[in-house]
Amino acid sequence: MLLTCAAVLLAGALLPGCARIFGSRYDNFQAYFNAVYNARQAFNEAEEQIVLEDEPVDRTRYLQVLPRADDRRGSSGGPFQDDVIQRLGDLLRENPDTKYTADALLLIGKSYYYQNNFEGAKLNLRESVRVAQEQDRSREEDEARLWFGRALAANGESTPAEDLLRESIIREGARARWTSLMQLALAQLYVQDERWVDAASALVDGVARVEDGDIAARAQFLLGQVYETLGRYAEAAEAYAEVRRYRPLYELRYAAEVNRILALGLHAGEPMQALDLVRRMQRDDNNFSNLAELQVIEARVLTAAGRPLEARDLLVALLYDEAGRNVGQMRGQALYRLGEVYRDGFEDFSLTATYLDSAATSLRNPTGRRSELTQQALLDVDEEAEVYVGFAEAARRVADYDSLLELGTLDDEAFRARIFEIQEERQLAAAQEAAEQERLRRAQGFRGSGGSNFGRQPTDIGAPNTAGVGAGPTSGDFGFLSYRNPSRVLESRAAVEGRGGGRPRLAQRRPRGTANHPGAGGHR
């Protein structure tokens, strides 16, 4: 009778006579099994939402290969809710020793991990490893070891985490499914500790054996970031190219292709290939919402390729929206990269200072530890702008002194001829300025905005002083283009501050080159 009842129980039914033998033990077992099964199903569904969430990739930070959740997600549903953890905890207290104990402890530990409660995660995952060992449950032990190592690493306990993961990888009987994930967890730990060579090795080993395509794609992306940090840019570009092979979601695929272009165009000596790739991306309708960023990236590659005029024109067209596109959140980046064009392409530190200073009003330093940030993070933009403002001021003063010294070496006739040339240059520049202001006024009136100060700012901010003298019948004693004229200074300052503060900002028009400005005449 006992054997019959056991067989029927395994089949999922219970004969009337068997109830006297099994009684409440069957009911407890069934309730325990259902609770753990339902919790695992809910956990898997919630975890899948995190893994498959197609959010933009922050390329300024090293990518997390294995999923993490912030506090907001951690309290949003599934097994991450405290009441689910509480129910499983109550069940364990009532039934502390069953074949599902290790599984329940594992679920509780993983849930705490996703809540960023790493102390709670460690306690439950350590106990899950112990119970799985006692019950000879190898699968549960492998998984618990993986998560225990991750919890230790997330809690800042690098050495214990490394020891546990390395021991678990070579453990006899460990399954390849879990050891490959342990390799990737170990790689993430090495990135956290800035052990780049070890990280690259662990990522290569892990990617070769991991079964999950989404995780493999993320690991391949992180491998590219690590290679970039090591200065191995050609290998980084190859790693980014491999991401597409795993058919990831759009945002990861897009980020990988952008990083590949930057690695090729800025560092690996392949600007033409990079230009071809970025222009191909611009023609892809899937990238329409990222078109402004792709144009900024194209400008960066053009600058690196020694084509600063094209880079400048592309960025200016983007900033002034002549093609009807909205630069949006890329405005700060576009201003910063335009400053780079004038710095690296034209060696004009005056305009470099102007554009970097304007960019600093839009860009903010990223938060967190600097060791978490990649080479693409823009750091200390304010300080960088101040440095170039100092360079520009020093260059202006040197130009003034040089001009005065030059004039001092001339005889009377040459001196008068030079003064006449300076006056003609000023008159021509003033006429051009007046024509440009009239064009802007008419264009603005055509748009119907009615803003009389639209687009006005001193056109010679940061421009080199070609004369070095301020005397002349048309300018009073106010310097080249009358830039020291008090009324003009006040008017310009009011126009700038009226657009949002005391920091100089970019004018709402295309900047015009001057005869003595590097790259002048490139605008239409």
Side-chain angles (χ1 to χ4, degrees):
M1 178 64 177
L2 182 60
L3 291 175
T4 302
C5 289
V8 173
L9 177 60
L10 290 174
L14 186 63
L15 297 175
C18 297
R20 291 190 299 271
I21 297 175
F22 292 103
S24 61
R25 294 177 66 188
Y26 171 76
D27 294 332
N28 291 341
F29 167 80
Q30 193 71 17
Y32 197 100
F33 172 81
N34 288 339
V36 175
Y37 176 83
N38 291 335
R40 177 170 283 280
Q41 289 296 108
F43 181 93
N44 290 340
E45 291 174 6
E47 186 178 47
E48 185 176 8
Q49 291 177 5
I50 292 175
V51 174
L52 297 180
E53 194 165 9
D54 194 20
E55 291 186 339
V57 175
D58 184 355
R59 301 194 311 276
T60 67
R61 296 181 182 275
Y62 293 100
L63 186 68
Q64 287 282 339
V65 174
L66 302 176
R68 284 276 298 272
D70 56 26
D71 291 330
R72 177 182 55 80
R73 290 182 192 156
S75 60
S76 63
F80 310 141
Q81 292 179 332
D82 288 337
D83 62 332
V84 174
I85 296 174
Q86 185 64 47
R87 283 203 305 270
L88 283 174
D90 292 342
L91 200 62
L92 283 171
R93 282 186 286 274
E94 295 171 5
N95 303 273
D97 189 18
T98 75
K99 63 182 294 186
Y100 296 105
T101 298
D103 222 9
L105 288 166
L106 176 61
L107 283 173
I108 293 174
K110 290 164 70 173
S111 298
Y112 276 132
Y113 180 91
Y114 277 125
Q115 287 184 335
N116 292 333
N117 181 350
F118 302 124
E119 287 294 341
K122 283 164 45 185
L123 290 173
N124 285 276
L125 293 168
R126 181 187 290 112
E127 187 66 10
S128 179
V129 172
R130 184 190 65 79
V131 173
Q133 284 178 330
E134 290 180 353
Q135 296 181 348
D136 196 24
R137 300 182 66 80
S138 181
R139 183 197 66 79
E140 285 83 355
E141 183 180 353
D142 284 341
E143 188 176 3
R145 283 174 171 271
L146 166 66
W147 283 87
F148 187 24
R150 294 183 64 193
L152 288 167
N155 203 46
E157 302 176 53
S158 296
T159 300
E162 181 181 5
D163 292 343
L164 174 68
L165 290 169
R166 291 173 66 88
E167 171 196 327
S168 301
I169 289 169
I170 62 175
R171 185 176 69 89
E172 184 177 355
R175 290 169 170 78
R177 174 190 176 186
W178 299 109
T179 56
S180 62
L181 295 176
M182 290 174 192
Q183 284 280 13
L184 297 180
L186 198 57
Q188 197 79 64
L189 173 63
Y190 292 146
V191 169
Q192 177 180 306
D193 291 345
E194 301 182 70
R195 296 168 56 181
W196 307 115
V197 174
D198 291 335
S201 177
L203 283 166
V204 170
D205 290 343
V207 168
R209 295 183 294 139
V210 70
E211 299 174 3
D212 189 303
D214 293 312
I215 292 178
R218 296 173 71 86
Q220 196 71 47
F221 185 93
L222 179 60
L223 179 59
Q225 290 180 308
V226 170
Y227 279 148
E228 283 193 89
T229 305
L230 289 168
R232 295 157 60 176
Y233 293 105
E235 292 171 272
E238 292 176 6
Y240 289 131
E242 283 292 298
V243 171
R244 180 180 288 269
R245 184 164 68 89
Y246 299 100
R247 306 184 68 179
L249 296 176
Y250 169 79
E251 293 292 353
L252 182 60
R253 186 173 69 251
Y254 170 82
E257 197 64 12
V258 166
N259 277 10
R260 178 190 178 196
I261 290 166
L262 292 173
L264 287 170
L266 304 187
H267 304 290
E270 297 290 345
M272 299 311 298
Q273 183 183 356
L275 284 173
D276 179 65
L277 290 171
V278 72
R279 288 168 178 169
R280 192 182 307 169
M281 289 186 73
Q282 291 173 12
R283 294 191 296 269
D284 187 342
D285 291 341
N286 292 324
N287 299 323
F288 180 78
S289 61
N290 292 312
L291 189 56
E293 181 178 29
L294 291 173
Q295 289 179 313
V296 171
I297 290 166
E298 181 182 356
R300 294 182 65 187
V301 176
L302 285 168
T303 304
R307 296 158 65 177
L309 286 172
E310 296 174 65
R312 181 197 63 185
D313 288 347
L314 183 60
L315 289 169
V316 169
L318 176 63
L319 283 164
Y320 295 101
D321 208 19
E322 292 188 350
R325 292 178 292 269
N326 183 8
V327 65
Q329 295 181 349
M330 289 301 299
R331 181 176 178 80
Q333 277 274 352
L335 287 166
Y336 184 88
R337 301 307 175 187
L338 191 53
E340 285 187 328
V341 171
Y342 281 108
R343 182 193 68 195
D344 302 333
F346 299 135
E347 296 185 359
D348 184 332
F349 297 144
S350 296
L351 284 178
T352 297
T354 298
Y355 286 112
L356 293 188
D357 201 42
S358 296
T361 65
S362 302
L363 298 174
R364 293 292 177 267
N365 287 336
T367 59
R369 297 182 305 166
R370 295 206 173 190
S371 61
E372 299 172 349
L373 303 175
T374 68
Q375 296 176 343
Q376 296 194 36
L378 293 178
L379 302 173
D380 304 323
V381 177
D382 286 317
E383 290 81 352
E384 186 177 3
E386 290 178 7
V387 167
Y388 282 100
V389 167
F391 285 166
E393 176 61 19
R396 186 192 65 77
R397 294 176 64 184
V398 168
D400 284 348
Y401 295 146
D402 285 345
S403 298
L404 290 172
L405 288 171
E406 179 190 358
L407 289 172
T409 63
L410 302 177
D411 57 32
D412 291 346
E413 183 178 353
F415 180 83
R416 285 192 295 270
R418 179 62 184 135
I419 291 297
F420 182 75
E421 290 175 5
I422 292 171
Q423 291 172 352
E424 284 192 326
E425 289 172 1
R426 286 184 183 148
Q427 290 171 359
L428 177 60
Q432 291 174 338
E433 171 72 6
E436 179 70 5
Q437 291 292 341
E438 177 64 15
R439 185 188 70 79
L440 286 172
R441 186 187 65 77
R442 291 184 178 182
Q444 185 67 5
F446 179 76
R447 295 188 188 99
S449 73
S452 61
N453 285 329
F454 177 81
R456 298 184 63 186
Q457 81 168 29
T459 57
D460 54 340
I461 288 180
N465 187 336
T466 58
V469 293
T474 62
S475 65
D477 199 17
F478 302 136
F480 181 64
L481 288 182
S482 299
Y483 76 96
R484 289 197 294 266
N485 187 314
S487 62
R488 181 171 183 182
V489 170
L490 291 175
E491 179 189 23
S492 299
R493 181 180 299 166
V496 171
E497 292 180 352
R499 292 194 296 274
R503 183 187 296 278
R505 292 178 182 271
L506 183 67
Q508 301 300 311
R509 61 177 176 79
R510 300 178 73 175
R512 222 171 11 89
T514 66
N516 296 295
H517 188 278
H523 296 298
R524 294 183 297 277

